[in-house]
Amino acid sequence: MSCLTDGELNMLNGNFLCGVVEGFYGRPWTTEQRKELFKRMNKLGMNTYLYAPKDDYKHRAYWRDLYSVEEADHLTTLIESAKENNITFVYALSPGLDITFSNSKEITCLKRKLEQISTFGCTAFSLLFDDIETEMSGADKEIFQSFAHAQVSVTNEVYQHLAQPTFLFCPTEYCATRAVPDVQNSEYLNTIGSKLLPGIDILWTGPKVISKRISIQSVEEISTVLCRPPVIWDNYHANDYDQRRLFLGPYDGRTPELIPYLHGVLLNPNCEYEANFIPLHTVAQWSKSNIDGVKKDIVISDSSVTSDIKLETEVDCSSDEDISSKLSESYQPRSALIVAINDWLTELYTKKVAAWVQPLAGPPESTQTVVNTCMTVNTCMTVTSTTNTCVPVSGITPLSAAANGIPQLSDSGGSYMQPTMNPVYSFGDCKPEVEPMDTIPTIGTATVTSTAAPVSSSIELELKPIDTDAENIDVEIKEAKCDEQTDSDTDTVMQIDSTEEIADKKDVEDKLSFEDMALLVDLFYLPFEHGRTAVKLLNDFHWLKTNARCLRSAKSKKTAASEEVTEWQSRAKTFEEQVNMVNVMADRLVKIPNRALVYDFYPYVWDIRGVLGLLSSFVKWLGSSKNHREAFMGGEQEPWVFRGGLTAEFQRMLPIDGAHDLFFNRPPDRPTCKTYTIRPFLPADEAAVYEVCRKTCDDGCDGTDVFPDQPDLIGDQLVGGFVTTSPEFCFVVEDDSGLCGYILAALDAKVYHKKLELGWTAAMCQKYPKPDVMENLSPAQEIIASFHNRTPLIPDSLHKRFPSIVKIDILPNRIEDNGIPKRMLACTLSALKANGSHGAFCEISVGDRHMLDLYTSLGFLCVPKEDMLCEDTVVLGRNI
């Protein structure tokens, strides 16, 4: 079969296809979302929608089954809605899993299925043969020369049976990395190109499954092999392979010069429908940027035909460089992003109900399922399953605590939590291009206070002022009681006007601005690139962590602040302001009336906000700590070369390689603006820490009534020693009402116990005289007696494995976010690891079920019995 010219192909297949593929894993789009999508696509000038959702099992696994009456009505409604908006609805079927190509009954089933779809009003179809086994059945081998011949035979027959409609075909080798041995020499692709009927378009993802760039050269190569220009199935914004990444950045890596070399681009976008406004908006802008379809190679040709073209275009383009310059200027990703954000702002304040008002999906506590991407039920590439499961090492010593369901910790060293982490190349062309889906990284969270800070756009282009006037919102004005009203009517009107002005000002403050949305996009930019604000955050934290040694030097010499110290403090303040910008944006986002967008974005924003809060807490600790060791602050490895999303890169910048389980947190079931601040302990916090201790000492319940005459007694026993002898490793958590929890730690438990014995315990013995009678003691007397009894020594075996000691308590009625304890522990373990610790343990009473549950949920496991300090306590430890 001879290859067609571009003109002949356009006569057969119509104009350039630009649209959307719904073919991802995860929560499917609803019917209403699809209908809204068609309206949006029509407004943007897009023309094609490819239907291949994984929730429709009759699309692939049960492809032979016809649709029921109810299902038929559903599809008919969608097809009619697409037509009303001038969108071509392409129905895709994936029979490749189990079809016998040589079986006439199978072909009849395939025809019958697509005939049924045609009765719904569908006039465009697609057969997808991606992600299937390439070994043919014995019956097929007897009939067909190769797998490609089998696919071509069936596709051509179906295409002709349907009277040659708009038709798309997805090959098994659908990108350059899957071509065997390569694109040019692939027997499969050459057979497809030469044998497939010319009116059938062929889908192609580019050099890779998720291609960072698609060049003209690569498209020309595949076009030659396929004997037609391909339709790009573009996975650039697909996120179903990574459960904590969104891609909000502009369409990029594809020059507009590609357009005349292609027959279309179909974008496979984010699973979250509301996250796709910018990707769709910018790909639509891109598709119109070279509307004349002028090829550079045609213009520079010396043929007589192209000479005429030269004459027609020489006014605008006098050289090859002029054409490239003009085309590159016609679509600039950052400029397109600005246009898209401005249009998006109006969508934010359109009232919309969330499609799925239910507990928000989040990563599992201990394992994460690999979710494959892109084309059909199986991934477009082989993905190595990476789990983050807490698996104790073999050889566990049975303990009495095991009977109570306490996880056991083995005697072997090393971390029991070592997930695989692979790099992503955030920026810089010198890095090798990798598929951004080689692993499923962990999720991290923490939170910080939301303090407003000056904010500027990360998009460095001239912008028109954005209208930030708040929409009319009803304001409640309390009417003064008649018997209390003393002012005149005029004064009353002025009072009401003043109240309205305050309310309007508050509305403006709470409304998302262009800068807020630009920041959001920067945090969730593109699969191979972070936004500018995100890169700045990465660089700033890396610099602060690496250069914190100057603080230690200044404190040890007790000299005036040097230029290095001043610079560190200034950059720490800037970093804190940047984190606060994120908090302000997150709080504003939660309040918008578009609840569908809120529910789609909240888990991701909650996640990044949390880990930034954790980093902010760590920076505060660096600024207040009296010591830390350079061994963990050397910065030998650039922190942004890791893959897995911005959140994962931030997590890996903390020195807790063996504690990634602390980043597995689920967001609250409902979006909330409640903020928690994790910060280093201050001397002024001592009374509040004692109060939290008293209100949680009775197996997590209030123990105030147990010590009515001595309210500080339990605090003196459990927390006083920490805040007195080891305040540099103590942290507290606050909400809007004040302190609601703490985590206290000592770097070296043996040193800590020695300090207690020499100082704190001696002071307590003077404060609380020993009871005269040591029998039938009250709870208060038992605590007092403990001060006068010698504390058991910490066993060397325990200290060797877990040199540090920690204690955590929170007020359960004040903490709505179940991830707060993990974030507190992650911050504390980071401080301990930065000073050389490799493990921490805690002591709890055998009968304290609440604390057993809390510590085991934080990854602590029961240590061997010989390491117990005394019989009535349980010791749990974990590696860092």
Side-chain angles (χ1 to χ4, degrees), residues 16-121:
F16 187 85
L17 305 181
C18 181
V20 176
V21 178
E22 184 185 350
F24 50 78
Y25 293 83
R27 190 171 65 191
W29 295 341
T30 66
T31 299
E32 293 305 315
Q33 286 175 329
R34 288 165 180 158
K35 290 180 178 179
E36 182 182 312
L37 172 67
F38 299 153
K39 294 178 182 178
R40 182 175 295 173
M41 291 172 64
N42 185 30
K43 183 178 179 181
L44 294 172
M46 306 173 86
N47 55 32
T48 306
Y49 166 79
L50 180 60
Y51 176 89
K54 302 305 177 287
D55 62 311
D56 184 354
Y57 65 92
K58 292 183 180 179
H59 155 76
R60 185 176 175 96
Y62 296 90
W63 60 270
R64 299 174 183 84
D65 294 355
L66 297 179
Y67 287 104
S68 66
V69 174
E70 182 180 357
E71 293 166 339
D73 290 342
H74 170 74
L75 279 173
T76 301
T77 301
L78 285 178
I79 293 169
E80 290 175 351
S81 178
K83 287 182 178 179
E84 291 171 359
N85 290 280
N86 302 311
I87 303 299
T88 300
F89 186 103
V90 182
Y91 177 85
L93 201 64
S94 299
L97 285 177
D98 57 0
I99 188 174
T100 302
F101 294 95
S102 58
N103 189 329
S104 60
K105 292 183 179 180
E106 296 276 75
I107 309 307
T108 300
C109 284
L110 189 56
K111 294 177 181 177
R112 183 182 60 178
K113 179 65 169 283
L114 295 181
E115 283 176 350
Q116 184 196 32
I117 303 301
S118 67
T119 64
F120 303 159

Side-chain angles (χ1 to χ4, degrees), residues 144-179:
F144 298 109
Q145 180 180 346
S146 69
F147 199 45
H149 284 87
Q151 292 179 6
V152 165
S153 174
V154 171
T155 302
N156 286 342
E157 183 174 345
V158 171
Y159 174 65
Q160 291 176 320
H161 178 78
L162 295 174
Q164 300 187 1
T166 298
F167 208 95
L168 285 80
F169 171 87
C170 179
T172 305
E173 296 179 8
Y174 50 79
C175 64
T177 55
R178 295 213 162 191

Side-chain angles (χ1 to χ4, degrees), residues 68 101 105 163 253 260 377 439 452 497 632-633 689 752 760 783 818:
S68 66
F101 294 95
K105 292 183 179 180
V377 167
T439 186
D497 290 343
F632 296 90
M633 301 292 171
V689 167
Y752 168 69
W760 182 255
I783 293 175
N818 294 327

Side-chain angles (χ1 to χ4, degrees), residues 338-387:
I338 291 172
V339 175
I341 291 178
N342 280 322
D343 288 349
W344 197 20
L345 286 171
T346 60
E347 293 277 334
L348 304 178
Y349 288 89
T350 300
K351 289 185 178 180
K352 192 183 298 184
V353 178
W356 300 84
V357 182
Q358 61 184 19
L360 295 170
E365 287 294 328
S366 59
T367 62
Q368 188 153 349
T369 304
V370 174
V371 180
N372 300 323
T373 190
C374 311
M375 305 286 283
T376 50
V377 167
N378 293 324
T379 181
C380 285
M381 65 171 291
T382 302
V383 179
T384 303
S385 177
T386 302
T387 59

